[in-house]
């Protein structure tokens, strides 16, 4: 097999890249290890930045999102038994975010690729990349037990944090920046009408909690828990009780319902530099991870592939490589600002094992400042709805 751009991974980064390339007349093949059903049902992110929404709309894959997604113009920060609204619309000149599940974005992109006979291959084994320091890189894999090869001009490593592309680059040329947090999130998806119109980020003495949602019937809720926690120790009743304690207010109770799905996710900040080696370009979670507190991972993946699609289109139309050469630097400028925001939100809202009463007072003062100063609220709002894309 041969194509122009070989894409490893059919998550949001790989699929959006393939679609954006198609719109600009560049051919690609997407190679995925898991099944289509698994990828389309994987419960993950839910908040799309203003710019991500526009990217999807402009690319012609936003119709269902615009019908079924929930447009939000603010969030609530809860601490010391009070809620404070951050009004995005007012603070950012009318911007907001879209609450629309990542797996729905994935379904929309798969449909758009298949509608034009886009080449997506699932359930591949032993995916490997080679010769990406030369001019004819290859992706090797087994399909239905048969070894195959894809020859391409470029490889896009969109295979997530645990993928094979990043580890294929010689370690000596990579710089890794990392912070692992001493806590995790226990998340549930519940058949329960969201108890609030907007997301609630709560700082509580027992730990962070988040109320989010997927639809008018489905709630998505998280609580901070120890990183080594076993989900078996958390029967549904105990989860609801902890959510009620952390999110509850006088005269306000969370609506409960049956738990459809639950899981625990560790929290880390991670960046690899550079995001390119030879003809292999890393995009999305394969190059960086943020803790979910800022709702940024999917948005950062979308921002990377926008830059990459434009650079590849420029190369194929003019032969110029300046945008490809600038890819890593262009992306990393945004990546680090988003890392800063995600780290800051995480540090402000969670309880840390090693903290002392000084740190707790400082966190409360920070929340008080953020919710009472227009300058500080504006900073949160402009980061949350998304920094400008170009
Ligand atoms: P993905 O989605 O991990 O996709 C990578 C794909 O590559 C495949 N793969 C391989 N394919 C072929 N060969 C191999 N050897 C392969 N190895 C792996 C995988 O099967 C997969 O299909 O990465 P991508 O595309 O970069 O997308 C990144 C996002 O998924 C991620 O950043 C977000 O989900 C993070 N995130 C959130 N981001 C937001 O913007 N807003 C949110 O509200 C938000 N909430 C979250 C989140 C992530 C969470 N978890 C579970 C990590 C909430 C949670 C709980
Ligand atoms: C979610 O709905 O899954 C979600 C929302 C906001 C976050 C993280 C996750 O910060």
């Amino acid at each position: 097999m041969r194509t122009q751009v070989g894409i490893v991974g059919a998550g949001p980064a790989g699929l959006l890249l393939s679609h954006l390339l198609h719109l600009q007349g560049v051919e690609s093949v997407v190679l995925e290890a898991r099944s289509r059903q698994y990828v389309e049902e994987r419960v993950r992110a839910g908040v799309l930045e203003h710019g991500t929404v526009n990217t999807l709309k402009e690319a012609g894959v936003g119709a269902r999102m615009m019908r079924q997604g929930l447009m939000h113009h603010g969030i609530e920060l809860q601490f010391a038994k009070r809620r404070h609204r951050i009004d995005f619309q007012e603070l950012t000149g009318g911007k907001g975010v879209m609450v629309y599940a990542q797996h729905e974005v994935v379904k929309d992109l798969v449909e758009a690729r298949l509608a034009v006979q886009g080449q997506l291959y699932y359930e591949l084994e032993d995916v490997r990349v080679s010769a990406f320091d030369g001019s004819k890189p290859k992706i090797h894999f087994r399909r239905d037990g048969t070894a195959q090869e894809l020859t391409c001009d470029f490889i896009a490593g969109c295979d997530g944090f645990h993928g094979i592309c990043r580890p294929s680059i010689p370690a000596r040329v990579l710089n890794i920046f990392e912070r692992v947090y001493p806590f995790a999130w226990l998340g549930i998806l519940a058949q329960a009408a969201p108890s609030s119109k907007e997301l609630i980020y709560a700082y509580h003495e027992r730990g962070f909690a988040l109320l989010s949602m997927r639809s008018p019937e489905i709630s998505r809720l998280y609580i901070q828990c120890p990183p080594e926690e076993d989900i078996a120790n958390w029967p549904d009743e105990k989860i609801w009780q902890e959510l009620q304690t952390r999110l509850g207010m006088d005269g306000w109770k969370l609506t409960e319902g049956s738990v459809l799905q639950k899981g625990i996710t560790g929290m880390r900040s991670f960046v690899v530099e550079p995001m390119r080696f030879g003809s292999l370009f890393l995009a999305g979670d394969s190059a960086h991870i943020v803790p979910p507190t800022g709702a940024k991972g999917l948005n950062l993946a979308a921002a990377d592939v926008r830059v990459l699609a434009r650079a590849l289109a420029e190369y194929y139309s003019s032969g110029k490589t300046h945008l490809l050469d600038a890819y890593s630097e262009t992306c990393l400028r945004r990546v680090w600002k988003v890392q800063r925001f995600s780290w800051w939100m995480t540090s402000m809202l969670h309880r840390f094992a090693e903290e002392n009463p000084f740190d707790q007072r400082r966190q409360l003062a920070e929340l008080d400042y953020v919710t009472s100063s227009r300058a500080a609220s504006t900073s949160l709002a402009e980061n949350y709805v998304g920094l400008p894309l170009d």
Side-chain angles (χ1 to χ4, degrees):
M1 269 205 281
R2 154 130 213 111
T3 191
Q4 290 177 311
V5 183
I7 300 175
V8 186
L15 291 167
L16 181 59
L17 176 63
S18 179
H19 181 66
L20 294 176
L21 289 173
H22 162 75
L23 294 178
Q24 309 201 57
V26 179
E27 189 188 283
S28 65
V29 174
V30 182
L31 305 172
E32 167 63 48
R34 303 285 194 155
S35 70
R36 176 174 170 191
Q37 185 183 0
Y38 179 91
V39 178
E40 289 189 354
E41 289 177 0
R42 192 163 44 191
V43 177
R44 284 208 172 164
V47 177
L48 306 179
E49 289 177 358
H50 173 79
T52 308
V53 170
N54 284 344
T55 300
L56 296 172
K57 278 202 307 199
E58 284 160 22
V61 284
R64 199 163 65 95
M65 168 186 75
M66 294 313 287
R67 281 199 310 276
Q68 296 176 8
L70 309 169
M71 193 68 199
H72 284 203
H73 290 106
I75 55 166
E76 303 265 6
L77 291 181
Q78 176 173 328
F79 58 97
K81 300 193 165 60
R82 291 189 57 187
R83 279 188 197 149
H84 307 257
R85 182 163 191 263
I86 305 285
D87 186 335
F88 297 157
Q89 190 154 27
E90 207 219 344
L91 296 167
T92 65
K95 291 184 187 158
V97 293
M98 184 70 85
V99 175
Y100 186 63
Q102 173 169 328
H103 65 267
E104 302 295 350
V105 175
V106 165
K107 281 189 213 160
D108 295 342
L109 287 165
V110 169
E111 195 171 304
R113 292 308 297 124
L114 295 179
V116 290
Q117 285 75 49
Q119 297 188 74
L120 302 178
Y121 297 100
Y122 291 95
E123 298 182 66
L124 305 180
E125 290 175 316
D126 303 331
V127 180
R128 246 175 352 101
V129 290
S130 72
F132 48 85
D133 49 353
S135 61
K136 280 284 166 276
K138 282 196 173 70
I139 309 179
H140 313 258
F141 53 93
R142 298 178 75 79
R143 187 169 171 221
D144 298 328
T146 310
Q148 296 191 24
E149 253 176 38
L150 175 69
T151 306
C152 38
D153 303 329
F154 300 99
I155 299 176
C158 300
D159 50 346
F161 185 64
H162 300 288
I164 49 100
C165 288
R166 189 183 67 248
S168 306
I169 301 175
R172 65 186 153 76
V173 302
L174 293 182
N175 289 304
I176 287 179
F177 303 86
E178 187 169 26
R179 165 167 299 197
V180 179
Y181 297 87
F183 40 77
W185 279 14
L186 188 163
I188 63 166
L189 194 68
Q191 185 73 49
S195 309
S196 162
K197 277 210 191 77
E198 295 183 328
L199 272 67
I200 303 173
Y201 287 81
Y203 174 88
H204 188 274
E205 58 188 23
R206 294 178 60 83
F208 170 76
L210 170 62
L211 180 157
S212 179
M213 63 210 66
R214 288 294 178 267
S215 73
E217 297 84 35
I218 305 279
S219 293
R220 177 81 168 140
L221 299 138
Y222 298 95
I223 44 176
Q224 173 184 353
C225 68
E228 67 287 352
E229 191 66 86
D230 182 352
I231 194 76
N233 296 330
W234 286 86
D236 299 353
E237 207 171 289
K238 183 172 161 190
I239 299 175
W240 284 116
Q241 198 176 16
E242 196 60 37
L243 282 163
Q244 295 288 6
T245 306
R246 297 189 196 181
L247 286 163
M249 301 256 292
D250 285 344
W252 185 93
K253 221 171 158 294
L254 199 57
T255 308
E256 300 185 10
S258 59
V259 174
L260 305 172
Q261 197 261 1
K262 58 181 165 180
I264 292 179
T265 314
M267 306 262 281
R268 76 170 74 221
S269 301
F270 176 96
V271 181
V272 68
E273 292 186 4
M275 288 169 57
R276 171 200 186 168
F277 181 74
S279 44
L280 170 60
F281 293 78
L282 302 177
D285 279 14
S286 74
H288 38 68
I289 292 288
V290 285
T293 328
K296 290 291 170 221
L298 168 59
N299 294 295
L300 210 45
D304 286 352
V305 300
R306 247 176 82 109
V307 175
L308 186 53
R310 184 175 302 174
L312 288 165
E314 167 79 11
Y315 169 78
Y316 282 109
S317 66
S318 72
K320 291 191 188 138
T321 62
H322 64 288
L323 293 182
L324 286 173
D325 295 338
Y327 170 73
S328 180
E329 204 186 319
T330 307
C331 289
L332 284 167
R333 278 190 72 192
R334 183 187 186 82
V335 166
W336 276 111
K337 279 181 262 187
V338 172
Q339 286 287 352
R340 183 207 69 82
F341 176 69
S342 303
W343 161 85
W344 173 74
M345 286 282 280
T346 303
S347 307
M348 177 169 69
L349 286 162
H350 289 76
R351 298 300 302 264
F352 286 73
E354 72 278 15
E355 73 189 9
N356 64 26
F358 174 88
D359 296 308
Q360 290 160 21
R361 287 285 197 280
R362 183 184 45 73
Q363 282 176 312
L364 286 167
E366 180 129 33
L367 284 159
D368 190 8
Y369 174 59
V370 166
T371 52
S372 59
S373 150
R374 187 175 173 95
S377 310
T378 305
S379 171
L380 191 158
E382 72 173 355
N383 278 279
Y384 199 96
V385 302
L387 296 172
L389 277 166
D390 297 302

